[in-house]
Amino acid sequence: MHRRIMAPGALAAASLMLAIPASAASHSPGAPGIGDPYYPAYGNGGYDVSHYDLRLKYQPATDELEGTATLLARTTQDLSRFNLDFLLDVSEVRVNGAKASFVTSGEHELEITPKAPLAKGAAITVVVRYRGVPSSKEAYGFTSWHRTPDGGAGANEPEAAWWWFPSNDHPLDKATFDVSVQVPDGTQAISNGTLQSTSSRLGWTRYNWRSDKPQATYLATLAVGRFDVTTGTSESGIPVINAYSKDLGDKTGAAKASIERTGEIADWLSEYFGPYPYNALGGYVPNTDTGYALETQTRPYYSPRNFANGSNTTLVVHELAHQWYGDLVSVKGWKDIWISEGFARYAQWLWSEHEGEGTAQEIADYVYASRAADDAFWQVRPGDPGPENQFHLAVYDRGALTLQALRNEIGDDAFFAVLKGWTQKYAYGNASVADFQRYAEEVSGKPLAALFDTWLFQPSKPGAAAAGAASIARVSGVPGQPESWKKIAATNDVHEH
Ligand SMILES: [Zn+2]
């Protein structure tokens, strides 16, 4: 299903293309995808965005979103045209001030042809004016926009931006964000980073949010609704803003008992992972019926269902661990998901140890022993799980087992030096599974190819020899289930992202 929109003047622009001088013939279209084998259409080629300025207005009663996105970017090749990823209805595009023609294609492509070709290395400003009802849009048969009784929220992985702003939608292209949203008085707009200011007039309140460190597009979030907002400061001095839907009902207490510990948990994690990398902290719970949570940068998204059974600090630990593993150091390609989820899961095991609810080793022993060799769980290769298994439980649990095996192989000193050094080495950038193996070998001075191959890349349960060498499953039979693991198991239908 292709929707084609052509701006006034587009036909004229197209025919002018024929008359472009020979010197411009080397200009070619930017690729419609950034080159991720799991998701060939995600992201785009030919340019790199440094900043998104989103100036929006949202009406909760009708789910109508309208506004203007201004993208600051630099071309990485001579460009005749380029794509953005987007689903809402575009009325105008300008490149460097001049009206550009555009068409939509594929599931989520917006193809933009600037009036004049763009030279490699040029700074460009792209303005996209748009409107639409996000909940009415689907791509590949799904939506990442969650309509709520009092508004809506955009959060998903690996894609969420298409429903609310045009972007180069892949973690390889990180950028800073200003998100300014006008909503009816009495309603709040929640996004990433710091709340720079609010202003009110004629029945509308504007919220100006700023996320001033590089941020992947899927980690940008927007929620509008009626929220109780709490503010504070972590012991280490990071401002905290949390927001809870006013309609969480009997889950309100459990949500607050978990998320109000954000500052404490971030400070604790920083002892393992290095200084907290952003100038804002928090979390928010819109009144959605999704089951998952997401590590949206500086301010994770949680679902009410995450708090159905009482407090869920292990989930807060997971999403905050991602602020280092996944957000600060992002995947190069989506096949590298282990460098995000394996570590966020392992942080939960460290928290369990901290809380006296079972050591990381005890949980590893339990997970290893409780899954028989013929369990399909072991067929998933966390180091390259395939798009269909990107968020399979094995990426998390076998992924964390890998880290326990590494810890036992290289010892605590080297292991924790690797955890901390990694986040510094690749700060605000991207890395792969292979990069991690290389770094762990460099820090520990040990060859680790066999260990990583066994635990991340073989479609089978690592044998007793590998497990024994890694001190996993030293116990015979299935050991007792650590207390913290019961909690994680109980919330598995509402899994972490
Ligand atoms: Zn996760």
Side-chain angles (χ1 to χ4, degrees), residues 157 293-295 315 318-319 322 325 337 340-345 348 391 396 495-497:
E157 184 182 10
L294 184 68
E295 62 269 20
L315 178 64
H318 183 101
E319 304 309 337
H322 274 308
Y325 289 92
I337 190 65
S340 180
E341 299 301 351
F343 294 75
R345 174 66 95 220
Q348 294 177 271
F391 299 104
Y396 297 69
H495 84 265
E496 308 84 348
H497 261 340

Side-chain angles (χ1 to χ4, degrees), residues 31-340:
I34 208 165
D36 192 312
Y38 280 17
Y39 303 99
Y42 287 25
N44 304 287
Y47 64 94
D48 188 88
V49 180
S50 60
H51 183 70
Y52 292 88
D53 183 283
L54 310 176
R55 193 169 172 87
L56 308 172
K57 183 177 188 176
Y58 180 79
Q59 176 54 263
T62 56
D63 195 38
E64 285 174 286
L65 181 69
E66 61 179 302
T68 302
T70 303
L71 282 59
L72 306 181
R74 190 170 292 278
T75 56
T76 56
Q77 66 177 70
D78 288 338
L79 273 178
S80 57
R81 61 176 165 84
F82 61 92
N83 287 17
L84 293 170
D85 301 300
F86 198 39
L87 290 176
L88 299 186
D89 306 318
V90 173
S91 57
E92 183 179 286
V93 178
R94 286 178 182 268
V95 178
N96 296 336
K99 265 194 184 178
S101 61
F102 57 92
V103 296
T104 58
S105 66
E107 289 279 339
H108 48 79
E109 300 293 324
L110 176 67
E111 298 180 13
I112 298 169
T113 304
K115 205 162 202 171
L118 305 168
K120 180 182 178 179
I124 60 171
T125 304
V126 182
V127 177
V128 181
R129 200 179 294 278
Y130 60 93
R131 65 187 307 154
V133 176
S135 59
S136 72
K137 303 292 185 185
E138 287 192 344
Y140 308 106
F142 71 90
T143 180
S144 296
W145 183 262
H146 313 298
R147 189 85 165 97
T148 62
D150 54 343
N156 207 349
E157 184 182 10
E159 65 295 280
W162 312 339
W163 285 265
W164 67 284
F165 67 97
S167 72
N168 189 19
D169 193 29
H170 193 278
L172 273 179
D173 192 354
K174 298 184 182 189
T176 55
F177 283 72
D178 277 330
V179 177
S180 175
V181 189
Q182 210 178 16
V183 294
D185 285 350
T187 302
Q188 286 83 34
I190 308 297
S191 189
N192 312 84
T194 54
L195 183 59
Q196 299 294 105
S197 65
T198 60
S199 60
S200 193
R201 64 172 181 153
L202 301 173
W204 292 81
T205 304
R206 180 175 288 284
Y207 290 80
N208 297 305
W209 293 93
R210 172 166 294 168
S211 196
D212 68 354
K213 290 286 193 294
Q215 173 174 296
T217 43
Y218 87 96
L219 297 172
T221 193
L222 171 66
V224 177
R226 298 186 313 115
F227 289 94
D228 274 330
V229 175
T230 67
T231 61
T233 308
S234 74
E235 193 176 7
S236 61
I238 309 290
V240 185
I241 300 178
N242 299 318
Y244 306 88
S245 165
K246 288 182 189 285
D247 301 314
L248 296 183
D250 63 1
K251 301 182 188 78
T252 305
K256 288 187 175 174
S258 312
I259 298 169
E260 290 299 307
R261 295 181 68 183
T262 288
E264 171 200 346
I265 291 169
D267 284 350
W268 174 78
L269 286 169
S270 70
E271 292 171 25
Y272 291 97
F273 300 161
Y276 180 72
Y278 308 111
N279 63 358
L281 268 171
Y284 77 96
V285 194
N287 190 19
T288 58
D289 59 5
T290 63
Y292 57 81
L294 184 68
E295 62 269 20
T296 40
Q297 193 157 304
T298 70
R299 191 157 290 109
Y301 162 96
Y302 300 97
S303 159
R305 281 168 55 194
N306 299 139
F307 306 103
N309 303 319
S311 67
N312 196 353
T313 52
T314 188
L315 178 64
V316 176
V317 168
H318 183 101
E319 304 309 337
L320 292 177
H322 274 308
Q323 302 304 310
W324 288 264
Y325 289 92
D327 294 11
L328 176 65
V329 183
S330 300
V331 297
K332 264 184 188 161
W334 284 112
K335 75 177 172 61
D336 298 310
I337 190 65
W338 173 75
I339 70 159
S340 180

Side-chain angles (χ1 to χ4, degrees), residues 376-388:
F377 172 90
W378 298 109
Q379 289 166 21
V380 176
R381 304 155 69 239
D384 189 1
E388 68 285 359

Side-chain angles (χ1 to χ4, degrees), residues 363-383:
I363 298 172
D365 290 341
Y366 173 77
V367 170
Y368 179 85
S370 62
R371 294 203 177 262
D374 61 356
D375 192 320
F377 172 90
W378 298 109
Q379 289 166 21
V380 176
R381 304 155 69 239

